Amino acid sequence: EVQLVESGGGLVQPGGSLRLSCAASGFTFSSYWMHWVRQAPGKGLVWVSRITSDGSSTGYADSVKGRFTISRDNAKNTLYLQMNSLRAEDTAVYYCSSVVTGIPGWGQGTLVTVSS
Amino acid sequence: DIVMTQSPDSLAVSLGERATINCKSSQSVSYSSNNKNYLGWYQQKPGQPPKLLIYWASTRESGVPDRFSGSGSATDFTLTISSLQAEDVAVYYCHQYYSTPWTFGQGTKVEIK
């Protein structure tokens, strides 16, 4: 069974940084692309970033490009999202996700609150 | 980017009645190589993560009640709840994972009439 467990969320001031982690198990992590998706309070789901299985290629939503960096450690079965220059509008629950054998799997999410 | 448009934004249905949610994509989300539609449906209740109900447009996820069904192909998709139960009150989203950026419908809020 695919399991994804996010961590690293919390309260951070505007302009600050935070690194999210997503621990994966139940599938061959190194074989699959991974994604981050976020959901602001009371709003819908928005794709943030993706990384290929070997980490050689990444992609970002325009709203986070240049501020966020996605990475992975296939030896540790862990996905990361380094978030810099955080803004109030980055406040959201952040989910990691992957499509394994055609089935989307999601974690429980970690809440990031950007506020002074 | 593929735009996903759900309709309606909200609907109120009597207990035991049918609820139908539509999702239209701005381009096909079907791969001709395997004839699969890369379209999922989720249910989300307050304070909870999205729960996958349907993948490949019409395949019910394990453990999901059979009153939930998905249909459609290419650009037009439907989620049907055949007999609405009280526990089905939630927001429902469609999601295309055919290409990145992934995109989602805006959500449909289902309530009891």
Side-chain angles (χ1 to χ4, degrees):
Chain A
E1 181 191 355
V2 171
Q3 287 207 337
L4 299 167
V5 180
E6 302 92 338
S7 60
L11 175 64
V12 61
Q13 292 188 339
S17 298
L18 214 53
R19 188 175 86 154
L20 307 183
S21 299
C22 170
S25 60
F27 65 105
T28 306
F29 179 73
S30 59
S31 297
Y32 294 94
W33 289 28
M34 296 295 298
H35 300 254
W36 288 100
V37 174
R38 69 184 181 184
Q39 186 173 36
K43 302 296 186 182
L45 298 160
V46 177
W47 177 84
V48 173
S49 183
R50 63 87 177 156
I51 187 167
T52 53
S53 56
D54 63 357
S56 62
S57 175
T58 59
Y60 300 92
D62 287 344
S63 58
V64 306
K65 202 171 292 183
R67 300 187 299 123
F68 289 13
T69 302
I70 190 172
S71 63
R72 64 192 298 161
D73 185 334
N74 285 344
K76 295 183 178 179
N77 289 350
T78 303
L79 173 72
Y80 303 101
L81 186 67
Q82 177 67 44
M83 305 186 295
N84 299 330
S85 303
L86 283 161
R87 307 167 181 168
E89 54 265 35
D90 296 317
T91 294
V93 175
Y94 285 74
Y95 299 100
C96 64
S97 178
S98 186
V99 178
V100 178
T101 60
I103 305 172
W106 294 65
Q108 293 292 306
T110 186
L111 175 63
V112 173
T113 303
V114 184
S115 175
S116 54
Chain B
D1 299 2
I2 299 176
V3 177
M4 307 298 288
T5 305
Q6 281 181 239
S7 62
D9 290 335
S10 64
L11 76 161
V13 176
S14 300
L15 288 172
E17 297 300 305
R18 179 184 300 259
T20 301
I21 301 168
N22 298 301
C23 177
K24 189 174 183 68
S25 58
S26 60
Q27 63 190 74
S28 176
V29 297
S30 176
Y31 271 114
S32 56
S33 59
N34 60 5
N35 206 32
K36 298 282 191 191
N37 294 281
Y38 285 68
L39 187 286
W41 287 98
Y42 300 87
Q43 176 192 69
Q44 189 174 36
K45 298 180 180 179
Q48 297 184 16
K51 175 187 176 183
L52 181 67
L53 300 174
I54 303 287
Y55 59 95
W56 284 335
S58 60
T59 302
R60 197 178 304 113
E61 171 71 317
S62 175
V64 173
D66 61 6
R67 63 181 180 273
F68 292 93
S69 64
S71 63
S73 183
T75 62
D76 290 278
F77 302 92
T78 300
L79 175 71
T80 301
I81 310 172
S82 61
S83 176
L84 192 75
Q85 305 299 303
E87 61 265 32
D88 300 335
V89 169
V91 177
Y92 293 82
Y93 294 95
C94 60
H95 163 213
Q96 70 79 17
Y97 48 100
Y98 173 86
S99 67
T100 54
W102 285 357
T103 47
F104 301 85
Q106 77 276 18
T108 296
K109 187 173 186 179
V110 174
E111 299 173 311
I112 304 296
K113 185 187 292 183

